[in-house]
Amino acid sequence: MGVFARFSMRARFKPALTGLAVVGLALMCGLGSTPALAEEPAKQLFGNTPLPAATEARVHGFYSSGCIAGAVAMPVDGPNWQAMRLERNRRWGHPDLIALVQRLSREAAADGWPGLLVGDISQPRGGPMLSGHASHQVGLDADIWLTKMPNRRLTQSERANTSAVSVLKQGTLNVDPAIWTAEHAKLLRRAASYGAVERLFVHPGIKRAMCDAYGADRGNDRWMIKIRPYYGHHYHFHIRMKCPADSPNCRPQDPVPASGNGCDASLDWWFTSEPWTPKPQAPGTKPRPRREKTLADLPNACRGVLRAPRPASESLATYSASFDRVAMIASAVPIADAAPARAALPGLARLPIPADRPRQ
């Protein structure tokens, strides 16, 4: 088995479609005033909260350790997009990010891309996810599939069970010319060109294809350097936005290099054996289980985010031309008194994850 085959196997997960019992208990008890609740895995508290905080939009913490207040939902359908994996309830983000994805859908269509299939963004209040990602916690990350949108509306079942298609040639680290097209490259160029975008995560093979297409023109360096090679990300690319101006408690990532385009020795390294070779362990050493984050590991503001009232309905928090934050906030319902707003969807016990999650 080759190095790519060993490390590109997709995980499968069993989504936790449980109710609000954990969250409700935590909130009624003051959310953290009890040591046992402070030690509850944060992914349970955030992953089982169905609606956002009905507040102004504010990001707290880092992409892989934080939360978001006042998130808005990407509409399920738009003129040039369809949201996938609806049962995960992960199409929430900062309004600047949702607006950017919608803009990308329009401008990519003008470039010849038929429409976006939008994957995971964040949970309604961000925070650690029940499965699948280490980042995506503050509403500033979005996964866009590298599969072109079909010319029809997918059913809910299709959105839950259709897998994104890898653009790599099987058993290699390079794109497959039978799958990868100039339209793929234009889509990434468009996304990376936005000033609010901090990074795009892609597979090293995709970065190499972008270098082949655009690397010779050094006038492209400004946006090309944002396209960062990393594990996975050959089924989708990952947009990461900069911290928004309205969120002083957002912790930014170190900026990308100030010069160059990334088509250098740093990219060549990904095509050696080193990145794909597991680190040796001493004989008899057992891997340490990963410690689950608790509420105490997140910014203090995340306690208030979990306590905040929710909007009266999902539609009031969905970002469209008619979105009215004043109306959303005015509709607020105390979360401890709120009935569960989303029912578990039947028949969705196991769903594929399109690609590996990015590390931070």
Side-chain angles (χ1 to χ4, degrees):
M1 183 180 291
V3 291
F4 171 75
R6 290 201 305 270
F7 291 95
S8 67
M9 295 179 65
R10 287 173 290 156
R12 298 176 67 87
F13 76 100
K14 185 175 182 179
L17 298 172
T18 56
L20 291 173
V22 173
V23 175
L25 176 60
L27 295 170
M28 288 185 286
C29 293
L31 203 61
S33 59
T34 304
L37 293 177
E39 296 172 3
E40 183 75 27
K43 67 181 182 181
Q44 298 293 338
L45 298 171
F46 285 93
N48 291 316
T49 302
L51 288 172
T55 65
E56 297 294 337
R58 295 291 185 270
V59 170
H60 302 286
F62 189 64
Y63 301 92
S64 58
S65 184
C67 61
I68 178 172
V72 292
M74 184 78 178
V76 170
D77 290 307
N80 305 112
W81 76 80
Q82 297 184 51
M84 305 298 285
R85 304 290 192 261
L86 302 179
E87 71 290 339
R88 293 181 178 179
N89 198 25
R90 296 178 182 177
R91 54 190 174 89
W92 300 87
H94 190 280
D96 288 355
L97 176 64
I98 303 303
L100 183 143
V101 173
Q102 294 182 12
R103 175 187 174 188
L104 176 62
S105 76
R106 296 190 300 270
E107 296 181 354
D111 293 337
W113 189 260
L116 304 181
L117 295 179
V118 181
D120 286 354
I121 302 176
S122 289
Q123 297 173 144
R125 304 187 188 210
M129 292 187 174
L130 290 167
S131 60
H133 294 284
S135 60
H136 289 257
Q137 293 193 27
V138 292
L140 300 177
D141 296 291
D143 290 342
I144 307 297
W145 287 23
L146 289 165
T147 303
K148 296 178 180 180
M149 189 180 83
N151 59 2
R152 64 180 180 84
R153 291 294 153 184
L154 298 173
T155 66
Q156 182 170 287
S157 177
E158 287 174 320
R159 297 180 199 225
N161 296 292
T162 300
S163 293
V165 176
S166 172
V167 298
L168 298 186
K169 188 172 184 179
Q170 187 173 6
T172 77
L173 297 173
N174 299 304
V175 299
D176 188 337
I179 301 173
W180 178 261
T181 66
E183 287 72 29
H184 285 91
K186 289 178 182 178
L187 175 63
L188 293 179
R189 178 185 67 183
R190 176 67 69 178
S193 72
Y194 299 144
V197 168
E198 174 71 36
R199 282 169 167 76
L200 298 185
F201 293 108
V202 300
H203 187 276
I206 295 175
K207 175 67 177 185
R208 172 180 274 180
M210 293 298 291
C211 289
D212 291 343
Y214 298 108
D217 183 351
R218 302 314 298 264
N220 295 325
D221 285 7
R222 178 185 61 82
W223 59 265
M224 273 287 291
I225 195 64
K226 297 181 186 179
I227 301 179
R228 314 298 293 171
Y230 205 70
Y231 299 101
H233 298 86
H234 48 97
Y235 294 85
H236 72 263
F237 67 97
H238 178 147
I239 298 173
R240 172 162 292 174
M241 278 192 68
K242 297 177 181 177
C243 284
D246 61 19
S247 299
N249 201 27
C250 176
R251 184 160 67 88
Q253 187 166 3
D254 291 339
V256 297
S259 61
N261 58 13
C263 304
D264 51 21
S266 64
L267 178 60
D268 295 338
W269 175 79
W270 286 97
F271 296 89
T272 68
S273 62
E274 185 178 352
W276 314 100
T277 303
K279 294 181 179 179
Q281 293 186 338
T285 302
K286 294 183 178 180
R288 294 181 180 179
R290 188 170 65 179
R291 177 182 171 275
E292 295 282 6
K293 284 188 176 181
T294 68
L295 196 56
D297 296 314
L298 303 181
N300 289 336
C302 292
R303 297 172 182 268
V305 170
L306 279 175
R307 283 196 298 264
R310 66 164 178 86
S313 69
E314 183 178 288
S315 62
L316 284 167
T318 298
Y319 193 82
S320 65
S322 61
F323 173 68
D324 184 342
R325 184 169 294 276
V326 173
M328 182 191 81
I329 295 173
S331 77
V333 178
I335 190 170
D337 299 335
R342 296 178 64 90
L345 301 177
L348 302 174
R350 297 184 66 81
L351 301 172
I353 295 175
D356 299 340
R357 63 176 182 254
R359 297 175 185 171
Q360 303 306 323

